Amino acid sequence: MLKKIIASAVLCAGAALYAYNPPAGGQNLLRISSPELLSEGASAAGGALYSVSPDSVVNNPALTAFEQRAVLNLSGTMLFDSKDESDKSVGGAFEGGILLPSRWCVSSFLVQGVFVPFYDMHLGNSFNFTANVAKDVTDKLSVGVSAELGVFYGHNSDWRGGVNLGAFYDFGEAGFFKDIRFGAVLLNIGKQLGNTTVLGITGSEASEWPGIATPKIGAAATFFEQNNFKAGASLDFSFPSFQNFVCDAGLQLLFADVIKVSSSWEYDAREFSEGSKNILPSVGVSFQFKFNSKNGSLLAKKGWEQSEMTVSGAWKQLYKNVNAVSAGAKINLGLKDTQAPEIILWGEK
């Protein structure tokens, strides 16, 4: 059944070869609603320095399989166009998500809204819902699948729905590289937006977007670690509808396991060829701290007396006239279990 689905998606992509004309930013419709999605390189391998949240499944449905704690996140982004011909200069996006581990799998749910009226990045208005399931196959390999459903309005009305398939592998160490990871994904298997009047990158009415049946591969690793400092990098390649080439590169620095600085850069061949893509990298900063719950509170009753919160912000110039500023917060309920289980044999005390 799975082979038939993939084959059908590939055939649909082949039939649309002549019509690849998404709006600027159309491939990243679900990657502008949080600081992490804007600044961490769209990494299928979990980022230059591995971390996950409910919105990580946008990049790879398998990434969340090894998370042991429940995670909540809430973020928002403001978009500004300095020279839009329609005099509509402000847009935005938001998201809210939850990640829930269980003994069988890790499930997550994500709601995103995108509202972009200006022509330089003509994404229109949409609400999108993603449900994801990830499962560890071994202690190094995981797989995942997500289902997406979205509604579009304002420039005609339409809907999108489909699935994404992903795999993730934690390789380990090689030479001076540590925490080497690989990710592979097949995105947008299903119906995408087509009945819209938004403008594509060529200036005419957009074709179907985001690109159906988009393969993506990525790798990431820590390349320097000393005392309270870490540095890592990620590199990803994707091929939207087999008609475009996109490269995402990310760099992250971690200080004292508390402050993380992120930067990423994207090369989209078709957008660059049409003169619409910006070449500046993004910049993001996050700060992590622990907090205690009062005795008798709901969190304390659940065993989450102490938890972690990460607050973050990011800036990215998406296109020559379009800037994005984003802020958000993530809560990891409880603390990581870093102590190995104690095994007592019969007769031992």
Side-chain angles (χ1 to χ4, degrees):
M1 181 64 181
L2 179 58
K3 290 183 179 179
K4 291 182 179 180
I5 294 175
I6 296 175
S8 298
V10 172
L11 288 174
C12 289
L17 279 174
Y18 66 92
Y20 185 82
N21 182 34
Q27 290 301 135
N28 292 322
L29 174 67
L30 303 183
R31 295 194 181 99
I32 60 175
S33 53
S34 79
E36 290 81 5
L37 293 175
L38 279 174
S39 64
E40 295 187 0
S43 175
L49 298 174
Y50 180 76
S51 65
V52 299
S53 63
D55 60 8
S56 298
V57 302
V58 171
N59 296 321
N60 187 343
L63 287 177
T64 57
F66 298 108
E67 179 59 52
Q68 299 177 354
R69 298 177 291 173
V71 184
L72 306 172
N73 81 305
L74 183 65
S75 303
T77 299
M78 293 295 293
L79 298 157
F80 305 94
D81 190 323
S82 59
K83 295 181 180 180
D84 187 70
E85 296 178 0
S86 67
D87 295 327
K88 296 177 181 178
S89 60
V90 179
F94 75 88
E95 72 171 44
I98 183 171
L99 184 153
L100 300 169
S102 71
R103 60 181 300 183
W104 305 110
C105 65
V106 177
S107 56
S108 55
F109 305 92
L110 181 67
V111 176
Q112 296 170 292
V114 179
F115 315 99
V116 186
F118 32 78
Y119 292 140
D120 288 326
M121 186 180 170
H122 209 198
L123 299 183
N125 309 303
S126 64
F127 287 97
N128 302 274
F129 173 75
T130 303
N132 191 90
V133 175
K135 173 68 177 175
D136 56 315
V137 180
T138 70
D139 59 353
K140 289 183 173 292
L141 175 66
S142 66
V143 294
V145 57
S146 63
E148 293 178 348
L149 180 64
V151 293
F152 176 93
Y153 66 95
H155 301 273
N156 278 356
S157 60
D158 201 3
W159 66 278
R160 59 184 297 267
V163 298
N164 306 302
L165 306 175
F168 171 80
Y169 183 70
D170 185 352
F171 181 82
E173 298 185 10
F176 63 88
F177 290 104
K178 299 181 179 180
D179 192 24
I180 301 171
R181 292 159 277 118
F182 300 99
V185 197
L186 186 58
L187 300 167
N188 307 328
I189 307 171
K191 181 190 180 304
Q192 303 306 312
L193 298 173
N195 183 38
T196 72
T197 58
V198 298
L199 298 179
I201 54 176
T202 64
S204 59
E205 192 170 293
S207 63
E208 188 174 53
W209 59 282
I212 190 171
T214 296
K216 181 182 180 74
I217 56 173
T222 299
F223 62 84
F224 184 84
E225 182 174 2
Q226 187 172 8
N227 297 328
N228 291 320
F229 175 76
K230 283 184 181 181
S234 64
L235 185 64
D236 286 71
F237 303 103
S238 59
F239 309 88
S241 296
F242 300 94
Q243 303 170 69
N244 191 9
F245 169 74
V246 180
C247 173
D248 288 284
L251 174 68
Q252 291 184 317
L253 311 176
L254 181 64
F255 303 89
D257 288 326
V258 174
I259 298 174
K260 182 166 65 176
V261 179
S262 304
S263 183
S264 65
W265 176 79
E266 180 180 80
Y267 172 78
D268 184 307
R270 295 293 291 269
E271 290 193 356
F272 266 94
S273 69
E274 296 295 336
S276 60
K277 193 68 176 181
N278 174 65
I279 62 173
L280 293 178
S282 65
V283 178
V285 179
S286 66
F287 176 77
Q288 184 184 89
F289 60 93
K290 295 178 175 62
F291 66 94
N292 296 315
S293 303
K294 294 181 179 179
N295 291 332
S297 68
L298 178 61
L299 294 181
K301 290 179 181 179
K302 292 286 187 179
W304 299 322
E305 291 86 358
Q306 193 173 48
S307 300
E308 293 175 348
M309 174 177 281
T310 303
V311 293
S312 54
W315 166 86
K316 186 173 185 178
Q317 187 175 21
L318 294 163
Y319 300 94
K320 183 170 67 173
N321 301 320
V322 180
N323 285 268
V325 178
S326 185
K330 176 179 72 172
I331 298 176
N332 293 77
L333 297 172
L335 295 179
K336 290 182 180 179
D337 186 3
T338 58
Q339 183 175 355
E342 182 180 1
I343 301 174
I344 300 176
L345 300 177
W346 291 281
E348 292 185 348
K349 294 184 179 178

